Amino acid sequence: MKRREFLRQSSAFAGVGMLGLAGCAKRPVTAGSATAPALPFYDRVPELVPIRAHEDRLFRITVCLRPFRAQGPRLEVEKVGDKIVSHNYGHGGSGWSLSWGSAAVAVENAMRASNGDKEIAVIGCGALGLTSAITAQRAGAHVTIYAKERPPEVRSARATGSWTPDSRVALSNVVAPAFGDLWELMARTSWSMYQSYLGMPGNPIEYFDSYQLSDFSPEEAQKRRESQAQGAGRHEFARYASRIRDITAMPQLLPAGSHPFPTKYVRRNTTLMFNVADYSRQLMNDFLIAGGKVERVEFHSPADLAALPQKTIINCPGYGGRALWNDESITPVRGQIAWLIPQENVHYGLGYKNVNIVARRDGIVVQTSLNGEESGWNETDETPNQEEAVTGVHLLQELYSRMEAMQRRGNKMA
């Protein structure tokens, strides 16, 4: 009896294998129906290994500041003394997602303004800096990166790691109408480049399924977001995802009984995941193998650029651009990630009550954003918040408790 009780308790959160997480069972049940509506055989929800949601499995908490600009990323050229500076920063929550397309724009701007100068300096060693450096190399340039930090120290190494090309990229009432076309070009260029990293050792880039769970229909959820956006201090962020529907999978509303989740609505979406630790190493290796150099330098003002031997500079400082260029158009948006120990065969994402879960190879990301996209707005504190991290873990426990209760009701009905 003691052994059975131990096993029962152990499965409550850590195991949940008894909760019916295998959505492809012959007769999956829910609290409200005896049998599940049939999904096509090829489209059924696979068995989902549960996440062991325990506070003591948190092994670190990281914080980054996203560099948001209401008018969109800064992608322009200016002269600083005798230097030509091609700017490439201010991507909000879309830095990794747009990096290759944005790099292509910045490199083209630099080459055009310098009449094809092949001695290039890149400021910054994050997502935008590395991809800009590699893109310049592929255009035939000799490139040196100058940066105070390199991965894994840079802020972009603390990103969530999912494909979000229009996440806080601009405000719809401020950004220029033509930016949509530029955004689409950058998104498509980046998407195409990411396909070349699929299947590489270490899985730097891979596809995964994410399940967005809600007790509100998509229409109701949209009305709630619109209502909140009309409130004081709310922002209307630009949305461009509809422009690239031909290259991305459409979200799929799963019928009740076809999945193991307790919410009324479940949407499944297949998208890209960046395993940032391995992906950053891959980019750095690619850059160094092609003859690139990295020098550790800290810049305090544009005047410091005069010391560089190169005349053409691609400027990718991320949030650091606010201080370096005295750019008050940058608004910091604080983002915190709590990291659970990675688990074998856990390879999916969850969205539940403004908690975003991404099960990466280097850890299970738990991002709590209780105020939605307004979370962290204009906050500069990069101190980890333990309470925020624990809240996310507790909400994940709540989800599994609801799943367990639903399964018990289903078993009684069966």
Side-chain angles (χ1 to χ4, degrees):
M1 292 295 292
K2 290 183 179 180
R3 181 174 181 274
R4 285 197 295 271
E5 179 64 15
F6 171 78
L7 292 175
R8 185 191 68 79
Q9 291 178 354
S10 298
S11 69
F13 295 126
V16 199
M18 299 166 66
L19 298 187
L21 281 177
C24 58
K26 293 182 179 179
R27 287 171 55 88
V29 295
T30 69
S33 64
T35 60
L39 283 173
F41 177 79
Y42 54 82
D43 213 22
R44 292 179 184 176
V45 178
E47 181 177 356
L48 301 175
V49 176
I51 296 168
R52 297 171 62 186
H54 298 290
E55 292 177 39
D56 62 0
R57 290 181 65 81
L58 290 170
F59 66 92
R60 64 173 171 162
I61 301 173
T62 57
V63 180
C64 71
L65 299 180
R66 309 176 188 93
F68 173 80
R69 300 179 79 242
Q71 60 270 61
R74 189 178 184 189
L75 291 164
E76 60 191 45
V77 175
E78 70 170 309
K79 287 291 294 290
V80 179
D82 65 344
K83 308 293 186 182
I84 294 172
V85 180
S86 177
H87 294 294
N88 185 16
Y89 66 88
H91 295 71
S94 305
W96 281 112
S97 299
L98 294 178
S99 59
W100 287 107
S102 189
V105 173
V107 170
E108 182 179 355
N109 288 344
M111 294 293 190
R112 184 188 304 115
S114 66
N115 294 318
D117 185 6
K118 295 300 178 67
E119 297 296 327
I120 303 292
V122 171
I123 307 301
C125 199
L128 278 302
L130 283 170
T131 51
S132 293
I134 294 171
T135 300
Q137 285 179 325
R138 292 173 178 174
H142 300 98
V143 184
T144 301
I145 293 176
Y146 298 92
K148 175 185 176 182
E149 299 168 325
R150 56 196 293 178
E153 301 163 342
V154 295
R155 285 190 175 99
S156 58
R158 310 166 207 161
T160 305
S162 54
W163 165 261
T164 55
D166 65 351
S167 173
R168 297 187 189 87
V169 73
L171 292 182
S172 59
N173 61 337
V174 177
V175 69
F179 178 71
D181 293 336
L182 178 61
W183 176 91
E184 182 178 347
L185 175 63
M186 293 190 296
R188 290 181 180 276
T189 300
S190 299
W191 184 267
S192 178
M193 183 61 69
Y194 286 130
Q195 309 313 301
S196 67
Y197 285 87
L198 294 171
M200 295 186 69
N203 296 298
I205 306 292
E206 56 187 328
Y207 280 95
F208 78 116
D209 285 340
S210 179
Y211 300 87
Q212 300 302 309
L213 317 178
S214 177
D215 292 313
F216 302 100
S217 69
E219 294 75 20
E220 291 171 331
Q222 178 62 27
K223 289 181 180 179
R224 288 168 64 87
R225 285 193 295 269
E226 292 174 354
S227 176
Q228 291 174 346
Q230 294 172 0
R234 296 285 174 171
H235 301 88
E236 186 178 343
F237 295 100
R239 309 292 181 188
Y240 300 111
S242 61
R243 287 174 167 261
I244 55 172
R245 285 300 186 203
D246 58 307
I247 62 172
T248 56
M250 289 288 289
Q252 178 186 28
L253 188 62
L254 299 178
S258 67
H259 57 77
F261 301 111
T263 54
K264 189 174 181 181
Y265 298 95
V266 176
R267 286 186 303 154
R268 177 172 59 183
N269 188 39
T270 303
T271 188
L272 287 177
M273 175 194 299
F274 311 119
N275 291 304
V276 176
D278 190 78
Y279 181 45
S280 295
R281 284 193 294 270
Q282 182 68 56
L283 293 178
M284 182 64 77
N285 288 340
D286 289 348
F287 173 68
L288 296 175
I289 289 171
K293 299 178 181 179
V294 181
E295 295 192 18
R296 194 174 293 269
V297 178
E298 183 175 1
F299 299 95
H300 300 282
S301 74
D304 293 343
L305 302 180
L308 298 181
Q310 296 87 353
K311 300 297 184 183
T312 305
I313 300 168
I314 302 176
N315 180 48
C316 311
Y319 178 69
R322 179 182 171 95
L324 176 59
W325 296 90
N326 194 27
D327 189 346
E328 295 296 323
S329 71
I330 294 180
T331 299
V333 182
R334 181 185 188 277
Q336 174 174 293
I337 291 174
W339 297 81
L340 290 168
I341 297 171
Q343 289 178 233
E344 187 71 22
N345 299 322
V346 175
H347 184 67
Y348 60 90
L350 293 173
Y352 177 72
K353 292 188 175 182
N354 284 330
V355 175
N356 182 38
I357 310 293
V358 181
R360 288 169 26 184
R361 307 283 176 170
D362 52 347
I364 298 175
V365 167
V366 181
Q367 186 175 44
T368 306
S369 304
L370 298 183
N371 291 322
E373 288 194 312
E374 300 295 328
S375 298
W377 182 263
N378 205 24
E379 294 182 16
T380 58
D381 186 2
E382 294 184 85
T383 305
N385 185 324
Q386 181 73 22
E387 182 179 355
E388 179 182 326
V390 171
T391 295
V393 174
H394 286 175
L395 283 169
L396 186 55
Q397 290 177 349
E398 174 192 299
L399 170 62
Y400 286 143
S401 293
R402 290 181 63 183
M403 293 170 69
E404 182 181 37
M406 183 185 75
Q407 179 63 26
R408 286 175 176 170
R409 290 193 297 268
N411 288 339
K412 288 180 180 179
M413 294 176 62

